Amino acid sequence: MPAHDITKLLDLPELRVVPGERKASWGEELDDHVIEFACDTGLLTTEAARRFYRTQRIGTMCAYVIPGSVSRRRHRIYGELMMWLFIYDDWAEQLGRYLPPHEVTAVTDTVHTWFADDEEDVRVPDLSLPRSLRLIWNEVRKDTSPAWRRRLRTELRGYLDTAAHEAGLVRTGRVTPFTEARELRPLATAARPVFTMAEHAYGIEMPAEVARHPFLMQAGQSSAIGIALANDIISVKADLLRGIRDNLVLALQEEFGGDLQLNAARAAARYHRAAAEFTALRDRFHSPEGPPDPALSGRRDVAVHLQILDDWLYEGIKWQLRETDRYSTTVRLTQEEHPNQLLGLAERLRADRSGLRPVRSPSS
């Protein structure tokens, strides 16, 4: 059956989760805070948008994935950034319907400047999207090092660069074969920068040379592919009905054939394999023999980072299955209900190329 045939329903395959609860108690409070943040900073401008994101419970997600946050201030910063990223992702998902790839790239290149330390490097700073992000980024800058922020910006660049590819899929209706998609989808979930940002919530900074250690790169890759597979299994029905083709279940179907049920099972098998690979690496770090490289032994920052990967991989699924309707709803708000600010940014950039108005505000 072709990947675009949505007539066959499928049952959700089993995704084994770790028994017990690690969720923090402050999730509902953070749900309220991130919605108010989004409204107060102009990310959400209508009551329809407010209701839509309220049911997604982004703050509760944070309570699952960073339950050991060291302070209210830090989990609030994390929640604000997660809210920003979810709203941004929803707008970016639609770019291919309106913009050619080169304009999508110009938009994402501009978005990357919003994470700059120097205000002079921030392009189009007067829109709500950059203003809201700069509030978050300036809070992050208060207690992080330039080296750590460079590492985070590099990982964010990898996430932002997937937007043009995803927009192309929306524009053409093409499905990426699994061999290619398995490399791209973990990047598109923003797993790497989300992992790194969680270090801030836990009060640690892992040096770049440690973060690049092959042991941790392998652990991060196993966790990220597991997260992407679980996400795409849970959301495949909603993706199909919304016309989204950037999904690993569909990628498996495109490359190997068969119906959706078979490919959901294939994706689940790969999820469990990735989860088992991660768990073996985590257990190796904590075993009496220690990690494969003695240089990692006893490092608290490495232990915390592995816990972050663990919680995102296992606890994040609990949030997806129990707490949010984000991955089951087929509803997407109209432009009137939730004006796409990235399209407004594209218009500004187009006007700037035509020499009609400056990209920078006079104060920058």
Side-chain angles (χ1 to χ4, degrees):
M1 182 177 67
H4 62 269
D5 187 344
I6 63 173
T7 58
K8 172 141 176 35
L9 297 178
L10 70 153
D11 297 320
L12 187 69
E14 180 186 7
L15 298 172
R16 291 189 295 275
V17 297
V18 177
E21 292 293 338
R22 285 180 47 78
K23 181 176 69 168
S25 62
W26 39 256
E28 290 187 10
E29 177 191 356
L30 191 56
D31 284 334
D32 294 335
H33 173 75
V34 297
I35 289 294
E36 293 308 313
F37 170 83
C39 292
D40 291 347
T41 59
L43 291 174
L44 303 181
T45 57
T46 69
E47 185 57 33
R50 181 190 180 98
R51 289 195 304 269
F52 179 75
Y53 285 97
R54 186 70 181 83
T55 63
Q56 294 184 22
R57 306 190 69 190
I58 305 304
T60 295
M61 179 201 75
C62 298
Y64 274 95
V65 299
I66 55 163
S69 171
V70 297
S71 71
R72 183 169 183 256
R73 173 181 174 271
R74 293 208 180 201
H75 65 243
R76 279 193 163 198
I77 293 170
Y78 193 79
E80 290 165 4
L81 181 58
M82 294 305 103
M83 189 68 177
W84 191 95
L85 286 171
F86 275 114
I87 294 172
Y88 169 85
D89 192 66
D90 288 342
W91 281 328
E93 181 182 87
Q94 300 300 318
L95 289 183
R97 301 189 189 280
Y98 305 100
L99 303 176
H102 73 276
E103 290 199 10
V104 175
T105 298
V107 166
T108 55
D109 284 348
T110 298
V111 170
H112 191 243
T113 72
W114 301 344
F115 295 91
D117 279 354
D118 189 340
E119 294 295 334
E120 288 295 318
D121 294 327
V122 179
R123 301 178 197 162
V124 197
D126 57 319
L127 300 178
S128 295
L129 261 173
R131 284 202 308 268
S132 58
L133 181 58
R134 294 304 291 173
L135 288 174
I136 301 168
W137 193 250
N138 286 333
E139 285 298 312
V140 171
R141 288 174 61 194
K142 290 179 181 179
D143 41 26
T144 58
S145 68
W148 183 85
R149 294 194 299 274
R150 282 195 297 272
R151 175 183 152 216
L152 180 57
R153 278 197 299 271
T154 298
E155 293 167 341
L156 285 162
R157 173 85 266 181
Y159 160 64
L160 294 171
D161 284 348
T162 65
H165 171 78
E166 292 184 313
L169 297 181
V170 170
R171 197 173 186 85
T172 64
R174 183 175 65 88
V175 177
T176 306
F178 184 75
T179 304
E180 179 184 357
R182 74 181 307 275
E183 302 298 326
L184 293 171
R185 282 297 293 145
L187 291 172
T189 65
R192 287 287 184 180
V194 162
F195 296 158
T196 298
M197 186 62 199
E199 293 179 13
H200 177 262
Y202 279 86
I204 66 165
E205 285 192 14
M206 199 161 61
E209 63 272 16
V210 176
R212 290 193 296 264
H213 191 284
F215 177 82
L216 284 176
M217 292 296 290
Q218 186 179 356
Q221 180 62 17
S222 297
S223 182
I225 188 63
I227 290 166
L229 284 159
N231 176 286
D232 288 2
I233 292 166
I234 294 167
S235 66
V236 64
K237 287 184 183 179
D239 282 353
L240 282 167
L241 293 171
R242 296 198 326 268
I244 302 302
R245 300 291 178 261
D246 194 23
N247 183 294
L248 288 167
V249 175
L250 303 184
L252 283 163
Q253 187 178 36
E254 181 74 10
E255 185 155 331
F256 301 110
D259 62 19
L260 286 175
Q261 190 67 61
L262 172 61
N263 285 287
R266 285 170 170 164
R270 284 168 170 79
Y271 161 77
H272 288 120
R273 188 156 60 241
E277 289 171 357
F278 166 76
T279 300
L281 291 167
R282 181 204 62 195
D283 291 349
R284 172 66 190 275
F285 177 81
H286 292 291
S287 70
E289 294 80 13
D293 185 343
L296 299 179
S297 183
R299 290 192 65 112
R300 177 178 174 272
D301 55 356
V302 173
V304 171
H305 189 80
L306 289 171
Q307 185 63 60
I308 290 166
L309 302 184
D310 187 291
D311 284 334
W312 262 103
L313 178 60
Y314 291 118
E315 300 301 305
I317 291 178
K318 295 177 183 177
W319 170 74
Q320 289 178 297
L321 293 173
R322 300 174 183 174
E323 305 279 4
T324 183
D325 68 356
R326 179 173 178 83
Y327 301 99
S328 59
T329 182
T330 60
V331 172
R332 279 298 177 264
L333 300 180
T334 65
Q335 176 73 356
E336 182 178 343
E337 293 169 316
H338 187 39
N340 190 327
Q341 295 184 27
L342 291 179
L343 294 179
L345 173 59
E347 292 173 4
R348 287 282 299 271
L349 297 176
R350 195 180 300 127
D352 179 66
R353 287 195 301 273
S354 302
L356 299 178
R357 63 188 298 179
V359 171
R360 294 177 185 267
S361 67
S363 62
S364 67

